Amino acid sequence: MEEFHKIRRLPPYVFEQVNRLKASARSRGADIIDLGMGNPDLPTPQAIVDKLCDVVRDPRTHRYSSSRGIPGLRRAQANYYARRFGVKLDPDTQVVATLGSKEGFANMAQAITAPGDVILCPNPTYPIHAFGFIMSGGVIRAMQAEPDDNFLPALERAVRYSTPKPLALILNYPANPTAFTASVDFYKDVVAFARKHDLIILSDLAYSEIYFDGTPPPSVLEVPGAMDVTVEFTSMSKTFSMPGWRMGFAVGNERLIAALSRVKSYLDYGAFTPIQVAATAALNSDGTEIEEVRSIYHRRRDVLVESFARAGWDVPAPPATMFAWAPIPEPYRHLGSLEFSKLLVEKADVAVAPGIGFGEFGDDHVRIALVENEHRVRQAARNIKRFLSQAPESADNVIPLGARR
Ligand SMILES: Cc1ncc(COP(=O)(O)O)c(C=O)c1O
């Protein structure tokens, strides 16, 4: 029987293949160091957990909540934008709480896309950026992920040569998986272009607080006039180590926020009220927790870069995010990222995410997530050193696992 139209457009998750190999190695007793998924391992700060526990005791919080988010939570997010970016938001019309930023992004795609609409999407990128729109009937045109001097000319070409004219442009800085970061000047150029060409900007700012070089990543909304064309998504998953709580936000242009709110009003009743109240407390707190989370990732990043370099693998230090984007060592590059990742699980007991899972232009890299402690990261480096020291002189000697019997 032919597969359903939508399902045919959703390839099986590439990461599943590495996960399966990881699970079978673990069942044989191997101690796999898992730097694959971007699933934060740090506990949610105690004060936030305590707040949830307090609030959940009140049965009034057990009813359906508010789909757009309780007013106090939307106010707290507006205050965060004012404090952090100097951006003024109306909590009633320019802020909506989402069930994690991923849900918000996917339902925004659902809200605004007509069949065949063209979306400009970075490649490589976090999968929902493309697949949220593919599920909504859109068509993806790949853009370079790097916000360098070639970006604007590429954007001009994309608009000139797309029929119909593109509906939206997706930005994600600091970027998953590449850790590219963007400046306000870059955003100024993009916003001017988007306003001129009536292009919606969807900015994924999930890593707004995970940065290491002293420069806090800006918001696109800092650019005057950006509000006319932009919605930005933020997440509590990484900032406060709350990935399982499913709490994020979309903020920005009123018409777009209203469209997302309308779709959501048909789909959900909002996050569980105690989660929203605890999230409000987190956003209103003094920022100490955020600093702690940031400094843990910072130390792990330094340990990773330094210990992997000693192991013979030069990994560029990411300026932000919880990921290093590592070029596959030369002797293995021809294998591609999936086979190389499988080899690392099998021969080095280390799991990473193959770059191909983020798009075809990611295939000569793997993504290494900072989700194990420093001791485990050092252990991973030792395992990799052993593995690389056995590296074949010539790449041709490496048989991809897929080709084995
Ligand atoms: C760039 C990016 N956007 C969004 C998300 C999803 O975040 P959330 O947990 O808020 O859905 C992630 C998670 O890894 C991400 O890396």
Side-chain angles (χ1 to χ4, degrees):
M1 205 190 295
E2 206 187 353
E3 197 42 281
F4 297 115
H5 173 86
K6 236 169 220 181
I7 303 306
R8 271 191 285 138
R9 280 155 183 78
L10 297 176
Y13 234 40
V14 176
F15 308 117
E16 252 327 290
Q17 298 193 44
V18 179
N19 284 344
R20 269 202 301 276
L21 215 58
K22 196 170 71 188
S24 83
R26 277 183 173 152
S27 69
R28 289 195 307 271
D31 175 21
I32 302 292
I33 300 169
D34 192 356
L35 309 175
M37 266 191 76
N39 191 353
D41 61 312
L42 305 173
T44 303
Q46 193 57 43
I48 304 174
V49 174
D50 289 345
K51 188 73 182 176
L52 174 87
C53 295
D54 279 353
V55 177
V56 80
R57 290 200 184 87
D58 180 350
R60 283 176 306 174
T61 65
H62 301 172
R63 308 188 68 185
Y64 289 131
S65 194
S66 150
S67 167
R68 292 193 308 135
I70 57 175
L73 178 60
R74 284 184 277 114
R75 270 198 308 275
Q77 174 70 351
N79 288 340
Y80 165 71
Y81 259 75
R83 239 178 16 246
R84 170 69 168 78
F85 304 111
V87 170
K88 196 169 168 319
L89 295 170
D90 179 341
D92 280 333
T93 56
Q94 295 175 325
V95 179
V96 60
T98 61
L99 307 175
S101 63
K102 195 175 178 179
E103 178 271 326
F105 191 91
N107 278 326
M108 179 61 86
Q110 156 116 315
I112 66 175
T113 311
D117 275 350
V118 175
I119 309 300
L120 306 179
C121 179
N123 185 324
T125 198
Y126 184 60
I128 197 66
H129 296 156
F131 289 102
F133 281 96
I134 289 170
M135 282 191 273
S136 306
V139 174
I140 297 297
R141 176 173 168 133
M143 284 287 298
Q144 65 176 66
E146 191 163 10
D148 63 9
D149 290 347
N150 297 321
F151 191 95
L152 247 301
L155 187 55
E156 274 162 22
R157 281 195 304 279
V159 168
R160 189 173 330 126
Y161 297 117
S162 297
T163 309
K165 193 172 70 64
L167 173 74
L169 165 70
I170 298 161
L171 300 177
N172 169 217
Y173 304 111
N176 176 8
T178 56
F180 290 136
T181 53
S183 65
V184 177
D185 281 343
F186 170 80
Y187 286 146
K188 273 186 188 147
D189 291 345
V190 175
V191 166
F193 183 90
R195 282 163 58 98
K196 184 162 162 214
H197 294 275
D198 210 7
L199 194 60
I200 294 167
I201 296 176
L202 299 178
S203 164
D204 180 345
L205 190 54
Y207 297 98
S208 57
E209 300 304 328
I210 314 295
Y211 57 91
F212 314 123
D213 63 0
T215 320
S219 156
V220 181
L221 292 168
E222 289 176 36
V223 177
M227 197 70 80
D228 294 347
V229 289
T230 305
V231 164
E232 193 159 70
F233 300 85
T234 57
S235 168
M236 303 202 64
S237 299
K238 318 294 155 99
T239 306
F240 293 98
S241 300
M242 294 170 68
W245 297 53
R246 312 311 300 129
M247 185 50 65
F249 297 91
V251 308
N253 178 266
E254 290 184 12
R255 178 166 169 256
L256 291 165
I257 292 294
L260 173 60
S261 304
R262 177 83 67 91
V263 165
K264 280 177 65 61
S265 73
Y266 279 82
L267 291 175
D268 68 62
Y269 289 107
F272 188 36
T273 300
I275 290 181
Q276 297 196 46
V277 175
T280 307
L283 281 170
N284 287 336
S285 65
D286 64 3
T288 323
E289 281 124 0
I290 302 181
E291 257 168 48
E292 261 165 45
V293 169
R294 185 184 302 132
S295 72
I296 291 172
Y297 286 126
H298 194 162
R299 283 200 301 277
R300 287 181 182 179
R301 178 202 72 161
D302 291 347
V303 167
L304 176 99
V305 169
E306 177 251 338
S307 63
F308 275 49
R310 266 192 280 116
W313 190 356
D314 284 324
V315 175
T321 77
M322 51 189 286
F323 306 111
W325 184 235
I328 300 174
E330 184 51 44
Y332 297 98
R333 201 158 297 165
H334 72 292
L335 290 179
S337 59
L338 181 56
E339 292 308 325
F340 177 67
S341 301
K342 289 179 176 175
L343 210 54
L344 276 189
V345 174
E346 210 182 42
K347 305 282 188 202
D349 290 347
V350 173
V352 297
I356 189 73
F358 304 95
E360 65 175 289
F361 300 112
D363 202 21
D364 49 10
H365 285 69
V366 293
R367 190 195 70 179
I368 306 175
L370 303 170
V371 291
E372 295 244 26
N373 66 33
E374 293 169 41
H375 168 73
R376 299 276 289 166
V377 171
R378 284 204 180 86
Q379 182 61 47
R382 281 194 291 275
N383 293 0
I384 283 169
K385 185 171 188 175
R386 203 173 356 95
F387 166 69
L388 290 179
S389 70
Q390 295 152 8
E393 286 292 299
S394 148
D396 303 334
N397 299 338
V398 183
I399 306 166
L401 292 179
R404 287 183 191 167
R405 292 282 131 153

